[in-house]
């Protein structure tokens, strides 16, 4: 991509677009106060209301959905324009929580696999800041074996009746629609009898509950479907071909988590809590700045962070030039999870007893270390576990033999499950 004229039909250069964005941002978006950066709590409805409000401003200003096609409410521009915009908006408050999963995963999947009506309605509503999307994939019986879902969708006259349950749905309480994978044919092997549906979350027949996490947050939800009725227009892709849609969704999720999606607008952490821990600051605050053991711990974490950035660049380049398969995004996802754990473990090792989570006993700035430790493994679970990532790397990148699948080729209704 050159920096002059786009291949997308606009005559505005990336540099001119960036200059126009710079002026517009200064006039229209709230500038971040470095002393008091925005603190976005995904579990709070107010954070989503604020994100929608900011998204509406972007839309009204003509800077929303930069890489989504014009017919679905976007600008139809190349990634170079989005990158330029991201560089310009770093010091402004942005609706970052809309990136995952709404834009980068759900809208991207609808764009690839949805009907014309789904694209026109859902993608444009999200870009306007009117709607939020979520993923309804994992079930109480397990999330790793996604093709083994047991939520059922049975055909009726002109539609479907859904019964079953989903869980761990990120921010579903704030969402308007969810992409939900259900089983539509039990007489064929597991990957062949699935269908993806776009579910309106306020429909009768859905009971949603928040899940309380160990760190006190309540961002995840579980949903129970009791004879939820959907029309044929809710089907995404083809009936019984839901695995293709789910695979596309997982592909977009890997790209989103790796930071390589053109559909993400704005960069950086959603709030200060997600910034890498300040190991040097912690060492100073606990009087250990001159301790060689502490310096070594902090150095090891810093090196890992630098290597992570190089790995992201290398893998992104290699996928783009075809020297690595698209599945290689899993390398970034795994390394990201392991780096986050090392960084938080290191912070706890340095802070020691000062990080004890005890309702305010710890020194300012240190309490956060203990709370973060409680949720340090989210990166190695969300979007598929680190074990599953290792399986993908072994089998699909390194070419190792596939793991034995006892249910391969067997009709799903004859597969032994649980205690059966
Ligand atoms: C931050 C976060 C966000 C999430 N958001 C969503 C969301 O929006 N929507 C949604 O549907 N789900 C979501 N999830 C759920 C997530 O997808 C699941 O937690 C994940 O897929 C694992 O499923 P499980 O927890 O049921 O574990 P299980 O599948 O029960 O696995 C249990 C353990 O067994 C291991 N294991 C299982 N199979 C294998 C195998 N074949 N080889 C080796 N090890 C194996 C796993 O690695 C794991 O350690 C989210 C989870 C987190 C932490």
């Amino acid at each position: 991509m050159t920096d002059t004229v786009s291949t997308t039909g606009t005559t505005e250069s990336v540099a001119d677009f960036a200059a126009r964005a710079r002026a517009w941002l200064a006039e229209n978006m709230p500038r971040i106060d470095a002393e008091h950066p925005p603190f976005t709590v995904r579990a709070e409805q107010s954070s989503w209301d604020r994100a929608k409000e900011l998204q509406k401003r972007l839309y009204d200003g003509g800077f929303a959905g930069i890489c989504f096609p014009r017919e679905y409410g976007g600008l139809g521009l190349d990634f170079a324009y989005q990158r330029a915009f991201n560089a310009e908006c770093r010091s402004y408050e942005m609706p970052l929580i809309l990136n995952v999963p709404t834009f980068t995963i759900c809208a991207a999947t609808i764009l690839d696999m949805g009907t014309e009506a789904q694209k026109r309605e859902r993608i444009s509503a999200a870009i306007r800041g009117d709607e939020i999307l979520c993923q309804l994939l994992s079930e109480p019986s397990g999330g790793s074996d996604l093709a083994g879902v047991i939520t059922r969708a049975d055909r009726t006259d002109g539609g479907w009746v859904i019964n079953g349950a989903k869980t761990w749905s990120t921010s579903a309480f704030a969402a308007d629609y969810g992409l939900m994978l259900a089983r539509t044919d039990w007489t064929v092997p597991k990957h062949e009898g699935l269908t993806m549906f776009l579910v309106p979350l306020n429909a009768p027949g859905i009971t949603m509950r928040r899940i309380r996490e160990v760190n006190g947050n309540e961002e995840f939800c579980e949903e129970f479907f009791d004879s939820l009725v959907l029309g044929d227009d809710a089907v995404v892709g083809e009936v019984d071909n839901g695995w293709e849609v789910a695979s596309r969704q997982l592909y977009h999720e890997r790209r989103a988590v790796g930071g390589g999606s053109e559909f993400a607008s704005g960069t950086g952490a959603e709030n200060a809590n997600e910034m890498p821990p300040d190991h040097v600051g912690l060492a100073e605050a606990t009087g250990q700045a001159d301790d060689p053991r502490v310096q070594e711990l902090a150095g090891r974490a810093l090196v890992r962070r630098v290597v992570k950035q190089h790995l992201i660049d290398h893998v992104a380049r290699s996928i783009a030039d075809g020297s690595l398969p698209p599945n290689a995004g899993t390398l970034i996802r795994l390394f990201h999870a392991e780096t986050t754990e090392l960084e938080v473990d290191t912070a706890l090792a340095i802070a020691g007893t000062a990080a004890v989570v005890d309702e305010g006993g710890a020194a300012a700035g240190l309490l956060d270390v203990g709370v973060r430790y409680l949720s340090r493994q989210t990166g190695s679970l969300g979007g598929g576990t680190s074990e599953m990532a290792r399986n993908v790397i072994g089998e699909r990148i390194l070419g190792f033999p596939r793991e034995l699948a006892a249910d391969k080729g067997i009709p799903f209704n004859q597969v032994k499950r649980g205690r059966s």
Side-chain angles (χ1 to χ4, degrees):
M1 178 69 215
T2 66
D3 203 36
T4 52
V5 179
S6 145
T7 54
T8 52
T10 180
T11 51
E12 186 177 31
S13 71
V14 173
D16 287 350
F17 178 79
R20 190 160 59 81
R22 195 176 314 139
W24 182 85
L25 284 161
E27 284 289 307
N28 295 282
M29 293 301 272
R31 193 177 272 279
I32 293 174
D33 173 358
E35 297 291 308
H36 306 282
F39 193 83
T40 309
V41 181
R42 277 179 164 256
E44 302 289 341
Q45 181 61 46
S46 56
S47 298
W48 295 94
D49 295 341
R50 175 69 173 161
K52 281 178 161 180
E53 185 201 325
L54 294 171
Q55 182 66 24
K56 283 184 205 302
R57 287 197 208 182
L58 290 173
Y59 181 74
D60 291 342
F63 289 100
I66 291 174
C67 290
F68 283 100
R70 298 182 82 84
E71 57 270 40
Y72 310 130
L75 301 186
L77 298 175
D78 291 341
F79 199 1
Y81 290 80
Q82 184 65 65
R83 284 204 201 94
F85 186 74
N86 291 348
E88 295 299 334
C89 66
R90 271 181 215 284
S91 38
Y92 295 92
E93 186 186 350
M94 289 283 291
L96 295 177
I97 56 174
L98 298 182
N99 284 337
V100 179
T102 295
F103 288 127
T104 55
I105 304 177
C106 300
T109 303
I110 294 170
L111 181 63
D112 290 345
M113 311 299 294
T115 62
E116 192 55 27
Q118 288 164 351
K119 293 186 216 183
R120 283 192 190 282
E121 289 163 21
R122 300 287 75 78
I123 296 177
S124 56
I127 291 174
R128 286 196 308 271
D130 287 341
E131 287 182 6
I132 289 166
L133 304 168
C134 74
Q135 309 196 77
L136 308 173
L137 302 175
S138 303
E139 300 194 347
S141 54
S144 300
D145 181 20
L146 182 56
V149 296
I150 53 175
T151 290
R152 59 185 307 139
D154 294 302
R155 258 241 175 265
T156 57
D157 284 347
W160 301 87
V161 176
I162 316 292
N163 283 286
K166 296 286 174 179
T167 190
W168 308 127
S169 329
T170 303
S171 13
F173 69 91
D176 300 278
Y177 284 82
L179 283 168
M180 192 219 34
L181 192 63
R183 187 159 304 280
T184 36
D185 188 346
W186 298 67
T187 65
V188 292
K190 65 179 180 181
H191 293 91
E192 296 167 27
L194 300 167
T195 302
M196 189 70 79
F197 294 89
L198 195 47
V199 178
L201 292 170
N202 61 359
I206 304 179
T207 306
M208 187 183 291
R209 289 197 206 126
R210 302 267 203 126
I211 300 173
R212 191 167 175 81
E213 296 159 56
V214 67
N215 62 5
N217 272 350
E218 293 189 347
E219 185 197 351
F220 297 109
C221 299
E222 55 184 355
E223 302 81 22
F224 302 91
F225 305 105
D226 296 298
S227 301
L228 162 70
V229 176
L230 296 175
D232 277 327
D233 57 355
V235 173
V236 181
E238 290 165 29
V239 172
D240 294 336
N241 200 18
W243 187 247
E244 189 187 351
V245 185
S247 302
R248 199 68 195 158
Q249 202 166 323
L250 296 176
Y251 162 77
H252 282 300
E253 178 150 22
R254 280 196 293 270
R255 293 178 75 228
V257 173
S261 174
E262 69 274 36
F263 300 116
S265 195
T267 53
E270 287 171 10
N271 66 53
N273 249 0
E274 291 168 9
M275 301 297 279
D278 175 8
H279 298 120
V280 174
L282 277 175
E284 284 166 355
T286 50
Q288 305 176 87
D290 298 326
D291 183 333
R293 189 190 67 87
V294 169
Q295 289 172 350
E296 195 175 313
L297 284 176
R300 189 178 57 158
L302 178 64
V303 167
R304 184 73 83 87
R305 195 181 309 159
V306 173
V307 171
K308 182 179 105 173
Q309 197 48 53
H310 283 290
L311 184 73
I312 290 173
D313 295 344
H314 171 70
V315 171
R317 247 195 334 269
S318 303
I319 293 176
D321 71 17
S323 53
L324 278 174
N327 276 326
T330 309
L331 293 163
I332 299 177
R333 187 231 154 284
L334 178 63
F335 204 80
H336 168 73
E338 305 240 308
T339 304
T340 305
E341 285 181 25
L342 177 74
E343 287 179 335
V344 178
D345 286 354
T346 302
L348 190 75
I350 295 174
T353 52
V356 170
V357 180
D358 71 347
E359 302 286 324
L366 291 174
L367 186 59
D368 162 58
V369 174
V371 176
R372 283 185 75 169
Y373 183 78
L374 296 176
S375 52
R376 68 199 251 289
Q377 282 166 305
T378 52
S380 58
L381 289 169
T385 66
S386 289
E387 288 79 14
M388 298 308 284
R390 286 195 170 88
N391 287 350
V392 171
I393 292 167
E395 296 173 7
R396 317 253 179 91
I397 303 175
L398 299 175
F400 291 167
R402 297 292 288 259
E403 178 184 24
L404 175 74
D407 53 6
K408 189 163 186 231
I410 298 178
F412 195 74
N413 57 9
Q414 291 173 31
V415 172
K416 287 193 166 53
R417 287 193 307 277
R419 295 204 186 94
S420 64

